[in-house]
Amino acid sequence: MIETEGLTRHFQAGEETVRALTDVTVSVAPGEFVAAMGPSGSGKSTFLNLIGCLDRPTRGRYRLMGEEVEALSADRLAELRSRRIGFVFQSFNLLQRADALANVELPLVYRGLRRGARRDRAAMALAAVGLGDRLRHRPSQLSGGQQQRVAIARAIVGSPDLLLADEPTGALDTRTGLSIVSIVQVLNRAGMGVLMVTHDAEVARFATRVLRFRDGRLVGDERQEAADAAAMLAALPPQDQAA
């Protein structure tokens, strides 16, 4: 699904060159669950932005499902993001004046789907993340974990091939974060590829592969047996389980 060769992103900050990412070569197969780890400034978020077609490399090659991404026009990149990639961020990025249904259907507006079809697909996506009874709730009426579930529903409503998650549990308590990761694992087991940026080794253990970044370079690539988030959540005392 993802192939990079010498992927590099350098920035000019005054007279200084910031080497955010340098010579990253990696291949990710369809359906993998990959965690990108590293301290702040290690290059993991720059890597995610490049993979998500939110930025262009200074040099190097990037192919998404065989398509040479770095050579695409801005319009084609926007189309690729819309149809192939779903995004989940730490800060949720929900429209505060819109209810859950309207937030989730937003990506489908840009695809030109009619309102009825948008609403049906948005309702199905919310049901898939356990919020079928919260369609008309606004973000202020939802817990942090519920807001992140809305964000996941919005990311998957267009049936993307790849889910990109940037610290999706960073703003949540440990137990609520566990419930979010369990949803991501369900999506992955259904065939969706996942690339998740995290600095937390406890979160990274739910992936089947870990890429480690330091000083803008890929310094580790390890496969592992993923821990089962749903099983860990079910083992918690009832009063401690996440909403």
Side-chain angles (χ1 to χ4, degrees), residues 61-98:
R61 302 178 68 187
Y62 167 33
R63 290 184 291 274
L64 179 61
M65 298 183 181
E67 190 165 5
E68 297 278 357
V69 173
E70 71 277 0
L72 298 179
S73 67
D75 287 345
R76 178 58 185 142
L77 282 174
E79 182 182 0
L80 197 64
R81 286 194 298 269
S82 173
R83 296 186 178 276
R84 296 285 197 177
I85 304 171
F87 296 90
V88 180
F89 301 99
Q90 178 179 339
S91 57
F92 315 146
N93 292 342
L94 301 178
L95 300 176
Q96 294 301 308
R97 295 186 179 182

PDB file of all heavy atoms in Angstrom, residues 61-98:
ATOM      1  N   ARG A  61      10.825   9.401  -3.245  1.00  0.00           N
ATOM      2  CA  ARG A  61       9.635   8.902  -3.935  1.00  0.00           C
ATOM      3  C   ARG A  61       8.639   8.325  -2.936  1.00  0.00           C
ATOM      4  O   ARG A  61       9.024   7.755  -1.917  1.00  0.00           O
ATOM      5  CB  ARG A  61      10.017   7.831  -4.955  1.00  0.00           C
ATOM      6  CG  ARG A  61      11.009   8.303  -6.002  1.00  0.00           C
ATOM      7  CD  ARG A  61      11.386   7.174  -6.955  1.00  0.00           C
ATOM      8  NE  ARG A  61      10.254   6.792  -7.792  1.00  0.00           N
ATOM      9  CZ  ARG A  61      10.280   5.746  -8.621  1.00  0.00           C
ATOM     10  NH1 ARG A  61      11.356   4.962  -8.687  1.00  0.00           N
ATOM     11  NH2 ARG A  61       9.223   5.457  -9.360  1.00  0.00           N
ATOM     12  N   TYR A  62       7.371   8.502  -3.270  1.00  0.00           N
ATOM     13  CA  TYR A  62       6.300   7.945  -2.457  1.00  0.00           C
ATOM     14  C   TYR A  62       5.219   7.418  -3.395  1.00  0.00           C
ATOM     15  O   TYR A  62       4.683   8.157  -4.214  1.00  0.00           O
ATOM     16  CB  TYR A  62       5.729   9.015  -1.519  1.00  0.00           C
ATOM     17  CG  TYR A  62       4.418   8.640  -0.841  1.00  0.00           C
ATOM     18  CD1 TYR A  62       4.129   7.330  -0.482  1.00  0.00           C
ATOM     19  CD2 TYR A  62       3.474   9.627  -0.535  1.00  0.00           C
ATOM     20  CE1 TYR A  62       2.928   6.994   0.134  1.00  0.00           C
ATOM     21  CE2 TYR A  62       2.277   9.306   0.082  1.00  0.00           C
ATOM     22  CZ  TYR A  62       2.008   7.988   0.407  1.00  0.00           C
ATOM     23  OH  TYR A  62       0.819   7.654   1.014  1.00  0.00           O
ATOM     24  N   ARG A  63       4.917   6.138  -3.245  1.00  0.00           N
ATOM     25  CA  ARG A  63       3.838   5.516  -4.014  1.00  0.00           C
ATOM     26  C   ARG A  63       2.755   5.029  -3.057  1.00  0.00           C
ATOM     27  O   ARG A  63       3.050   4.325  -2.095  1.00  0.00           O
ATOM     28  CB  ARG A  63       4.366   4.342  -4.846  1.00  0.00           C
ATOM     29  CG  ARG A  63       5.258   4.772  -6.005  1.00  0.00           C
ATOM     30  CD  ARG A  63       5.678   3.574  -6.855  1.00  0.00           C
ATOM     31  NE  ARG A  63       6.601   2.700  -6.134  1.00  0.00           N
ATOM     32  CZ  ARG A  63       7.920   2.876  -6.090  1.00  0.00           C
ATOM     33  NH1 ARG A  63       8.487   3.900  -6.714  1.00  0.00           N
ATOM     34  NH2 ARG A  63       8.686   2.031  -5.422  1.00  0.00           N
ATOM     35  N   LEU A  64       1.525   5.426  -3.340  1.00  0.00           N
ATOM     36  CA  LEU A  64       0.368   4.961  -2.582  1.00  0.00           C
ATOM     37  C   LEU A  64      -0.453   4.077  -3.510  1.00  0.00           C
ATOM     38  O   LEU A  64      -0.984   4.538  -4.514  1.00  0.00           O
ATOM     39  CB  LEU A  64      -0.469   6.138  -2.090  1.00  0.00           C
ATOM     40  CG  LEU A  64      -1.733   5.776  -1.291  1.00  0.00           C
ATOM     41  CD1 LEU A  64      -1.375   4.996  -0.024  1.00  0.00           C
ATOM     42  CD2 LEU A  64      -2.535   7.023  -0.950  1.00  0.00           C
ATOM     43  N   MET A  65      -0.488   2.785  -3.187  1.00  0.00           N
ATOM     44  CA  MET A  65      -1.175   1.816  -4.026  1.00  0.00           C
ATOM     45  C   MET A  65      -0.693   1.891  -5.472  1.00  0.00           C
ATOM     46  O   MET A  65      -1.471   1.851  -6.423  1.00  0.00           O
ATOM     47  CB  MET A  65      -2.685   2.020  -3.945  1.00  0.00           C
ATOM     48  CG  MET A  65      -3.197   1.799  -2.544  1.00  0.00           C
ATOM     49  SD  MET A  65      -4.970   1.946  -2.399  1.00  0.00           S
ATOM     50  CE  MET A  65      -5.135   1.658  -0.643  1.00  0.00           C
ATOM     51  N   GLY A  66       0.621   2.041  -5.615  1.00  0.00           N
ATOM     52  CA  GLY A  66       1.248   2.040  -6.928  1.00  0.00           C
ATOM     53  C   GLY A  66       1.252   3.367  -7.640  1.00  0.00           C
ATOM     54  O   GLY A  66       1.871   3.504  -8.704  1.00  0.00           O
ATOM     55  N   GLU A  67       0.594   4.393  -7.072  1.00  0.00           N
ATOM     56  CA  GLU A  67       0.519   5.698  -7.728  1.00  0.00           C
ATOM     57  C   GLU A  67       1.613   6.613  -7.199  1.00  0.00           C
ATOM     58  O   GLU A  67       1.781   6.762  -5.992  1.00  0.00           O
ATOM     59  CB  GLU A  67      -0.857   6.325  -7.487  1.00  0.00           C
ATOM     60  CG  GLU A  67      -1.112   7.549  -8.315  1.00  0.00           C
ATOM     61  CD  GLU A  67      -2.588   7.939  -8.345  1.00  0.00           C
ATOM     62  OE1 GLU A  67      -3.389   7.301  -7.638  1.00  0.00           O
ATOM     63  OE2 GLU A  67      -2.933   8.880  -9.080  1.00  0.00           O
ATOM     64  N   GLU A  68       2.373   7.224  -8.122  1.00  0.00           N
ATOM     65  CA  GLU A  68       3.467   8.117  -7.742  1.00  0.00           C
ATOM     66  C   GLU A  68       2.889   9.418  -7.191  1.00  0.00           C
ATOM     67  O   GLU A  68       2.434  10.295  -7.934  1.00  0.00           O
ATOM     68  CB  GLU A  68       4.355   8.414  -8.960  1.00  0.00           C
ATOM     69  CG  GLU A  68       5.036   7.182  -9.536  1.00  0.00           C
ATOM     70  CD  GLU A  68       6.297   6.815  -8.765  1.00  0.00           C
ATOM     71  OE1 GLU A  68       6.656   7.554  -7.826  1.00  0.00           O
ATOM     72  OE2 GLU A  68       6.904   5.783  -9.092  1.00  0.00           O
ATOM     73  N   VAL A  69       2.911   9.579  -5.877  1.00  0.00           N
ATOM     74  CA  VAL A  69       2.214  10.685  -5.226  1.00  0.00           C
ATOM     75  C   VAL A  69       2.910  12.023  -5.437  1.00  0.00           C
ATOM     76  O   VAL A  69       2.261  13.048  -5.666  1.00  0.00           O
ATOM     77  CB  VAL A  69       2.057  10.396  -3.722  1.00  0.00           C
ATOM     78  CG1 VAL A  69       1.495  11.596  -2.994  1.00  0.00           C
ATOM     79  CG2 VAL A  69       1.160   9.182  -3.512  1.00  0.00           C
ATOM     80  N   GLU A  70       4.243  12.022  -5.381  1.00  0.00           N
ATOM     81  CA  GLU A  70       4.961  13.310  -5.416  1.00  0.00           C
ATOM     82  C   GLU A  70       4.795  14.058  -6.729  1.00  0.00           C
ATOM     83  O   GLU A  70       5.034  15.265  -6.803  1.00  0.00           O
ATOM     84  CB  GLU A  70       6.453  13.116  -5.093  1.00  0.00           C
ATOM     85  CG  GLU A  70       7.271  12.417  -6.182  1.00  0.00           C
ATOM     86  CD  GLU A  70       7.161  10.914  -6.127  1.00  0.00           C
ATOM     87  OE1 GLU A  70       6.448  10.391  -5.255  1.00  0.00           O
ATOM     88  OE2 GLU A  70       7.796  10.260  -6.971  1.00  0.00           O
ATOM     89  N   ALA A  71       4.351  13.363  -7.777  1.00  0.00           N
ATOM     90  CA  ALA A  71       4.197  14.007  -9.077  1.00  0.00           C
ATOM     91  C   ALA A  71       2.770  14.464  -9.355  1.00  0.00           C
ATOM     92  O   ALA A  71       2.495  15.051 -10.406  1.00  0.00           O
ATOM     93  CB  ALA A  71       4.628  13.038 -10.180  1.00  0.00           C
ATOM     94  N   LEU A  72       1.849  14.248  -8.427  1.00  0.00           N
ATOM     95  CA  LEU A  72       0.444  14.552  -8.677  1.00  0.00           C
ATOM     96  C   LEU A  72       0.136  16.039  -8.520  1.00  0.00           C
ATOM     97  O   LEU A  72       0.783  16.754  -7.754  1.00  0.00           O
ATOM     98  CB  LEU A  72      -0.440  13.762  -7.710  1.00  0.00           C
ATOM     99  CG  LEU A  72      -0.365  12.239  -7.814  1.00  0.00           C
ATOM    100  CD1 LEU A  72      -1.282  11.602  -6.775  1.00  0.00           C
ATOM    101  CD2 LEU A  72      -0.737  11.762  -9.208  1.00  0.00           C
ATOM    102  N   SER A  73      -0.880  16.487  -9.222  1.00  0.00           N
ATOM    103  CA  SER A  73      -1.345  17.866  -9.106  1.00  0.00           C
ATOM    104  C   SER A  73      -2.051  18.056  -7.768  1.00  0.00           C
ATOM    105  O   SER A  73      -2.440  17.081  -7.099  1.00  0.00           O
ATOM    106  CB  SER A  73      -2.312  18.200 -10.239  1.00  0.00           C
ATOM    107  OG  SER A  73      -3.518  17.448 -10.096  1.00  0.00           O
ATOM    108  N   ALA A  74      -2.269  19.314  -7.380  1.00  0.00           N
ATOM    109  CA  ALA A  74      -2.965  19.601  -6.124  1.00  0.00           C
ATOM    110  C   ALA A  74      -4.379  19.031  -6.134  1.00  0.00           C
ATOM    111  O   ALA A  74      -4.862  18.508  -5.119  1.00  0.00           O
ATOM    112  CB  ALA A  74      -3.001  21.108  -5.881  1.00  0.00           C
ATOM    113  N   ASP A  75      -5.062  19.115  -7.270  1.00  0.00           N
ATOM    114  CA  ASP A  75      -6.421  18.590  -7.361  1.00  0.00           C
ATOM    115  C   ASP A  75      -6.445  17.070  -7.198  1.00  0.00           C
ATOM    116  O   ASP A  75      -7.317  16.518  -6.516  1.00  0.00           O
ATOM    117  CB  ASP A  75      -7.051  18.969  -8.700  1.00  0.00           C
ATOM    118  CG  ASP A  75      -7.429  20.442  -8.771  1.00  0.00           C
ATOM    119  OD1 ASP A  75      -7.468  21.088  -7.704  1.00  0.00           O
ATOM    120  OD2 ASP A  75      -7.689  20.931  -9.883  1.00  0.00           O
ATOM    121  N   ARG A  76      -5.483  16.403  -7.813  1.00  0.00           N
ATOM    122  CA  ARG A  76      -5.425  14.942  -7.705  1.00  0.00           C
ATOM    123  C   ARG A  76      -5.061  14.522  -6.292  1.00  0.00           C
ATOM    124  O   ARG A  76      -5.574  13.522  -5.774  1.00  0.00           O
ATOM    125  CB  ARG A  76      -4.426  14.379  -8.724  1.00  0.00           C
ATOM    126  CG  ARG A  76      -4.248  12.865  -8.663  1.00  0.00           C
ATOM    127  CD  ARG A  76      -5.542  12.123  -8.880  1.00  0.00           C
ATOM    128  NE  ARG A  76      -5.367  10.679  -8.712  1.00  0.00           N
ATOM    129  CZ  ARG A  76      -6.255   9.880  -8.152  1.00  0.00           C
ATOM    130  NH1 ARG A  76      -7.411  10.353  -7.710  1.00  0.00           N
ATOM    131  NH2 ARG A  76      -6.007   8.589  -8.034  1.00  0.00           N
ATOM    132  N   LEU A  77      -4.186  15.281  -5.628  1.00  0.00           N
ATOM    133  CA  LEU A  77      -3.849  14.978  -4.236  1.00  0.00           C
ATOM    134  C   LEU A  77      -5.082  15.100  -3.344  1.00  0.00           C
ATOM    135  O   LEU A  77      -5.301  14.274  -2.458  1.00  0.00           O
ATOM    136  CB  LEU A  77      -2.751  15.924  -3.746  1.00  0.00           C
ATOM    137  CG  LEU A  77      -1.329  15.627  -4.195  1.00  0.00           C
ATOM    138  CD1 LEU A  77      -0.402  16.745  -3.742  1.00  0.00           C
ATOM    139  CD2 LEU A  77      -0.852  14.292  -3.649  1.00  0.00           C
ATOM    140  N   ALA A  78      -5.873  16.148  -3.576  1.00  0.00           N
ATOM    141  CA  ALA A  78      -7.092  16.343  -2.788  1.00  0.00           C
ATOM    142  C   ALA A  78      -8.057  15.183  -3.003  1.00  0.00           C
ATOM    143  O   ALA A  78      -8.693  14.694  -2.058  1.00  0.00           O
ATOM    144  CB  ALA A  78      -7.753  17.665  -3.161  1.00  0.00           C
ATOM    145  N   GLU A  79      -8.167  14.722  -4.231  1.00  0.00           N
ATOM    146  CA  GLU A  79      -9.038  13.589  -4.530  1.00  0.00           C
ATOM    147  C   GLU A  79      -8.534  12.318  -3.856  1.00  0.00           C
ATOM    148  O   GLU A  79      -9.316  11.528  -3.306  1.00  0.00           O
ATOM    149  CB  GLU A  79      -9.120  13.385  -6.037  1.00  0.00           C
ATOM    150  CG  GLU A  79     -10.046  12.250  -6.441  1.00  0.00           C
ATOM    151  CD  GLU A  79     -10.088  12.023  -7.939  1.00  0.00           C
ATOM    152  OE1 GLU A  79      -9.389  12.743  -8.683  1.00  0.00           O
ATOM    153  OE2 GLU A  79     -10.814  11.109  -8.374  1.00  0.00           O
ATOM    154  N   LEU A  80      -7.221  12.137  -3.864  1.00  0.00           N
ATOM    155  CA  LEU A  80      -6.622  10.966  -3.233  1.00  0.00           C
ATOM    156  C   LEU A  80      -6.890  10.968  -1.734  1.00  0.00           C
ATOM    157  O   LEU A  80      -7.252   9.943  -1.143  1.00  0.00           O
ATOM    158  CB  LEU A  80      -5.120  10.950  -3.519  1.00  0.00           C
ATOM    159  CG  LEU A  80      -4.362   9.643  -3.301  1.00  0.00           C
ATOM    160  CD1 LEU A  80      -4.861   8.574  -4.257  1.00  0.00           C
ATOM    161  CD2 LEU A  80      -2.866   9.869  -3.501  1.00  0.00           C
ATOM    162  N   ARG A  81      -6.715  12.123  -1.107  1.00  0.00           N
ATOM    163  CA  ARG A  81      -6.993  12.234   0.327  1.00  0.00           C
ATOM    164  C   ARG A  81      -8.458  11.920   0.623  1.00  0.00           C
ATOM    165  O   ARG A  81      -8.789  11.254   1.600  1.00  0.00           O
ATOM    166  CB  ARG A  81      -6.668  13.644   0.830  1.00  0.00           C
ATOM    167  CG  ARG A  81      -5.191  13.946   0.967  1.00  0.00           C
ATOM    168  CD  ARG A  81      -4.968  15.217   1.770  1.00  0.00           C
ATOM    169  NE  ARG A  81      -5.562  16.384   1.123  1.00  0.00           N
ATOM    170  CZ  ARG A  81      -4.928  17.165   0.262  1.00  0.00           C
ATOM    171  NH1 ARG A  81      -3.677  16.896  -0.073  1.00  0.00           N
ATOM    172  NH2 ARG A  81      -5.524  18.209  -0.252  1.00  0.00           N
ATOM    173  N   SER A  82      -9.341  12.416  -0.224  1.00  0.00           N
ATOM    174  CA  SER A  82     -10.770  12.254   0.000  1.00  0.00           C
ATOM    175  C   SER A  82     -11.223  10.807  -0.130  1.00  0.00           C
ATOM    176  O   SER A  82     -12.073  10.335   0.641  1.00  0.00           O
ATOM    177  CB  SER A  82     -11.546  13.130  -0.987  1.00  0.00           C
ATOM    178  OG  SER A  82     -12.924  12.882  -0.925  1.00  0.00           O
ATOM    179  N   ARG A  83     -10.657  10.079  -1.083  1.00  0.00           N
ATOM    180  CA  ARG A  83     -11.173   8.753  -1.403  1.00  0.00           C
ATOM    181  C   ARG A  83     -10.356   7.603  -0.813  1.00  0.00           C
ATOM    182  O   ARG A  83     -10.883   6.508  -0.626  1.00  0.00           O
ATOM    183  CB  ARG A  83     -11.253   8.591  -2.927  1.00  0.00           C
ATOM    184  CG  ARG A  83     -12.241   9.550  -3.564  1.00  0.00           C
ATOM    185  CD  ARG A  83     -12.439   9.295  -5.040  1.00  0.00           C
ATOM    186  NE  ARG A  83     -13.431  10.200  -5.595  1.00  0.00           N
ATOM    187  CZ  ARG A  83     -14.745  10.001  -5.551  1.00  0.00           C
ATOM    188  NH1 ARG A  83     -15.205   8.900  -4.977  1.00  0.00           N
ATOM    189  NH2 ARG A  83     -15.593  10.869  -6.067  1.00  0.00           N
ATOM    190  N   ARG A  84      -9.105   7.828  -0.529  1.00  0.00           N
ATOM    191  CA  ARG A  84      -8.241   6.732  -0.101  1.00  0.00           C
ATOM    192  C   ARG A  84      -7.842   6.784   1.369  1.00  0.00           C
ATOM    193  O   ARG A  84      -7.457   5.776   1.946  1.00  0.00           O
ATOM    194  CB  ARG A  84      -6.951   6.748  -0.938  1.00  0.00           C
ATOM    195  CG  ARG A  84      -7.135   6.484  -2.415  1.00  0.00           C
ATOM    196  CD  ARG A  84      -7.413   5.024  -2.682  1.00  0.00           C
ATOM    197  NE  ARG A  84      -7.210   4.665  -4.070  1.00  0.00           N
ATOM    198  CZ  ARG A  84      -7.328   3.432  -4.556  1.00  0.00           C
ATOM    199  NH1 ARG A  84      -7.630   2.444  -3.755  1.00  0.00           N
ATOM    200  NH2 ARG A  84      -7.152   3.183  -5.837  1.00  0.00           N
ATOM    201  N   ILE A  85      -7.913   7.982   1.973  1.00  0.00           N
ATOM    202  CA  ILE A  85      -7.325   8.180   3.299  1.00  0.00           C
ATOM    203  C   ILE A  85      -8.345   8.786   4.255  1.00  0.00           C
ATOM    204  O   ILE A  85      -9.074   9.712   3.902  1.00  0.00           O
ATOM    205  CB  ILE A  85      -6.093   9.101   3.211  1.00  0.00           C
ATOM    206  CG1 ILE A  85      -5.061   8.536   2.225  1.00  0.00           C
ATOM    207  CG2 ILE A  85      -5.463   9.286   4.582  1.00  0.00           C
ATOM    208  CD1 ILE A  85      -3.925   9.488   1.925  1.00  0.00           C
ATOM    209  N   GLY A  86      -8.377   8.249   5.478  1.00  0.00           N
ATOM    210  CA  GLY A  86      -9.154   8.843   6.556  1.00  0.00           C
ATOM    211  C   GLY A  86      -8.217   9.355   7.627  1.00  0.00           C
ATOM    212  O   GLY A  86      -7.191   8.727   7.910  1.00  0.00           O
ATOM    213  N   PHE A  87      -8.549  10.491   8.232  1.00  0.00           N
ATOM    214  CA  PHE A  87      -7.676  11.128   9.215  1.00  0.00           C
ATOM    215  C   PHE A  87      -8.365  11.222  10.576  1.00  0.00           C
ATOM    216  O   PHE A  87      -9.532  11.601  10.667  1.00  0.00           O
ATOM    217  CB  PHE A  87      -7.312  12.549   8.769  1.00  0.00           C
ATOM    218  CG  PHE A  87      -6.508  12.620   7.502  1.00  0.00           C
ATOM    219  CD1 PHE A  87      -7.146  12.704   6.271  1.00  0.00           C
ATOM    220  CD2 PHE A  87      -5.123  12.611   7.530  1.00  0.00           C
ATOM    221  CE1 PHE A  87      -6.422  12.774   5.091  1.00  0.00           C
ATOM    222  CE2 PHE A  87      -4.385  12.680   6.356  1.00  0.00           C
ATOM    223  CZ  PHE A  87      -5.042  12.758   5.137  1.00  0.00           C
ATOM    224  N   VAL A  88      -7.602  10.894  11.634  1.00  0.00           N
ATOM    225  CA  VAL A  88      -8.058  11.071  13.012  1.00  0.00           C
ATOM    226  C   VAL A  88      -6.952  11.791  13.765  1.00  0.00           C
ATOM    227  O   VAL A  88      -5.791  11.380  13.719  1.00  0.00           O
ATOM    228  CB  VAL A  88      -8.354   9.722  13.703  1.00  0.00           C
ATOM    229  CG1 VAL A  88      -8.822   9.946  15.131  1.00  0.00           C
ATOM    230  CG2 VAL A  88      -9.403   8.941  12.930  1.00  0.00           C
ATOM    231  N   PHE A  89      -7.332  12.873  14.476  1.00  0.00           N
ATOM    232  CA  PHE A  89      -6.336  13.687  15.176  1.00  0.00           C
ATOM    233  C   PHE A  89      -6.608  13.707  16.674  1.00  0.00           C
ATOM    234  O   PHE A  89      -7.722  13.421  17.130  1.00  0.00           O
ATOM    235  CB  PHE A  89      -6.341  15.118  14.635  1.00  0.00           C
ATOM    236  CG  PHE A  89      -6.043  15.212  13.167  1.00  0.00           C
ATOM    237  CD1 PHE A  89      -7.072  15.347  12.242  1.00  0.00           C
ATOM    238  CD2 PHE A  89      -4.745  15.142  12.702  1.00  0.00           C
ATOM    239  CE1 PHE A  89      -6.807  15.427  10.883  1.00  0.00           C
ATOM    240  CE2 PHE A  89      -4.466  15.219  11.340  1.00  0.00           C
ATOM    241  CZ  PHE A  89      -5.504  15.359  10.439  1.00  0.00           C
ATOM    242  N   GLN A  90      -5.612  14.082  17.431  1.00  0.00           N
ATOM    243  CA  GLN A  90      -5.727  14.141  18.885  1.00  0.00           C
ATOM    244  C   GLN A  90      -6.805  15.123  19.329  1.00  0.00           C
ATOM    245  O   GLN A  90      -7.526  14.878  20.295  1.00  0.00           O
ATOM    246  CB  GLN A  90      -4.373  14.542  19.487  1.00  0.00           C
ATOM    247  CG  GLN A  90      -4.385  14.693  21.001  1.00  0.00           C
ATOM    248  CD  GLN A  90      -3.010  15.055  21.542  1.00  0.00           C
ATOM    249  OE1 GLN A  90      -1.998  14.827  20.892  1.00  0.00           O
ATOM    250  NE2 GLN A  90      -2.973  15.621  22.726  1.00  0.00           N
ATOM    251  N   SER A  91      -6.947  16.242  18.601  1.00  0.00           N
ATOM    252  CA  SER A  91      -7.844  17.316  19.022  1.00  0.00           C
ATOM    253  C   SER A  91      -9.267  17.175  18.479  1.00  0.00           C
ATOM    254  O   SER A  91     -10.068  18.097  18.594  1.00  0.00           O
ATOM    255  CB  SER A  91      -7.267  18.670  18.595  1.00  0.00           C
ATOM    256  OG  SER A  91      -7.047  18.694  17.195  1.00  0.00           O
ATOM    257  N   PHE A  92      -9.587  16.055  17.853  1.00  0.00           N
ATOM    258  CA  PHE A  92     -10.924  15.724  17.348  1.00  0.00           C
ATOM    259  C   PHE A  92     -11.306  16.539  16.107  1.00  0.00           C
ATOM    260  O   PHE A  92     -11.840  16.002  15.144  1.00  0.00           O
ATOM    261  CB  PHE A  92     -12.023  15.884  18.409  1.00  0.00           C
ATOM    262  CG  PHE A  92     -11.713  15.312  19.754  1.00  0.00           C
ATOM    263  CD1 PHE A  92     -12.172  15.916  20.901  1.00  0.00           C
ATOM    264  CD2 PHE A  92     -10.942  14.152  19.901  1.00  0.00           C
ATOM    265  CE1 PHE A  92     -11.901  15.398  22.157  1.00  0.00           C
ATOM    266  CE2 PHE A  92     -10.664  13.616  21.152  1.00  0.00           C
ATOM    267  CZ  PHE A  92     -11.144  14.256  22.286  1.00  0.00           C
ATOM    268  N   ASN A  93     -11.116  17.874  16.152  1.00  0.00           N
ATOM    269  CA  ASN A  93     -11.416  18.755  15.012  1.00  0.00           C
ATOM    270  C   ASN A  93     -12.863  18.642  14.546  1.00  0.00           C
ATOM    271  O   ASN A  93     -13.142  18.572  13.350  1.00  0.00           O
ATOM    272  CB  ASN A  93     -10.468  18.456  13.835  1.00  0.00           C
ATOM    273  CG  ASN A  93      -9.035  18.847  14.120  1.00  0.00           C
ATOM    274  OD1 ASN A  93      -8.773  19.627  15.031  1.00  0.00           O
ATOM    275  ND2 ASN A  93      -8.103  18.292  13.368  1.00  0.00           N
ATOM    276  N   LEU A  94     -13.784  18.652  15.491  1.00  0.00           N
ATOM    277  CA  LEU A  94     -15.207  18.596  15.162  1.00  0.00           C
ATOM    278  C   LEU A  94     -15.796  20.000  15.067  1.00  0.00           C
ATOM    279  O   LEU A  94     -15.319  20.932  15.722  1.00  0.00           O
ATOM    280  CB  LEU A  94     -15.967  17.799  16.222  1.00  0.00           C
ATOM    281  CG  LEU A  94     -15.524  16.349  16.425  1.00  0.00           C
ATOM    282  CD1 LEU A  94     -16.348  15.718  17.551  1.00  0.00           C
ATOM    283  CD2 LEU A  94     -15.658  15.540  15.143  1.00  0.00           C
ATOM    284  N   LEU A  95     -16.845  20.146  14.264  1.00  0.00           N
ATOM    285  CA  LEU A  95     -17.573  21.408  14.177  1.00  0.00           C
ATOM    286  C   LEU A  95     -18.490  21.509  15.390  1.00  0.00           C
ATOM    287  O   LEU A  95     -19.398  20.693  15.563  1.00  0.00           O
ATOM    288  CB  LEU A  95     -18.396  21.462  12.891  1.00  0.00           C
ATOM    289  CG  LEU A  95     -17.608  21.358  11.585  1.00  0.00           C
ATOM    290  CD1 LEU A  95     -18.559  21.328  10.390  1.00  0.00           C
ATOM    291  CD2 LEU A  95     -16.630  22.511  11.449  1.00  0.00           C
ATOM    292  N   GLN A  96     -18.256  22.515  16.240  1.00  0.00           N
ATOM    293  CA  GLN A  96     -18.946  22.584  17.517  1.00  0.00           C
ATOM    294  C   GLN A  96     -20.434  22.868  17.389  1.00  0.00           C
ATOM    295  O   GLN A  96     -21.225  22.492  18.253  1.00  0.00           O
ATOM    296  CB  GLN A  96     -18.281  23.637  18.410  1.00  0.00           C
ATOM    297  CG  GLN A  96     -16.857  23.286  18.819  1.00  0.00           C
ATOM    298  CD  GLN A  96     -16.785  21.972  19.579  1.00  0.00           C
ATOM    299  OE1 GLN A  96     -17.517  21.776  20.555  1.00  0.00           O
ATOM    300  NE2 GLN A  96     -15.912  21.081  19.156  1.00  0.00           N
ATOM    301  N   ARG A  97     -20.844  23.552  16.327  1.00  0.00           N
ATOM    302  CA  ARG A  97     -22.261  23.897  16.169  1.00  0.00           C
ATOM    303  C   ARG A  97     -23.043  22.832  15.402  1.00  0.00           C
ATOM    304  O   ARG A  97     -24.250  22.978  15.205  1.00  0.00           O
ATOM    305  CB  ARG A  97     -22.388  25.250  15.459  1.00  0.00           C
ATOM    306  CG  ARG A  97     -21.832  26.413  16.278  1.00  0.00           C
ATOM    307  CD  ARG A  97     -22.105  27.735  15.609  1.00  0.00           C
ATOM    308  NE  ARG A  97     -21.613  28.858  16.393  1.00  0.00           N
ATOM    309  CZ  ARG A  97     -21.753  30.129  16.057  1.00  0.00           C
ATOM    310  NH1 ARG A  97     -22.381  30.449  14.929  1.00  0.00           N
ATOM    311  NH2 ARG A  97     -21.276  31.087  16.823  1.00  0.00           N
ATOM    312  N   ALA A  98     -22.370  21.797  14.960  1.00  0.00           N
ATOM    313  CA  ALA A  98     -23.021  20.733  14.189  1.00  0.00           C
ATOM    314  C   ALA A  98     -23.156  19.487  15.056  1.00  0.00           C
ATOM    315  O   ALA A  98     -22.322  19.215  15.921  1.00  0.00           O
ATOM    316  CB  ALA A  98     -22.213  20.419  12.933  1.00  0.00           C
TER     317      ALA A  98
END
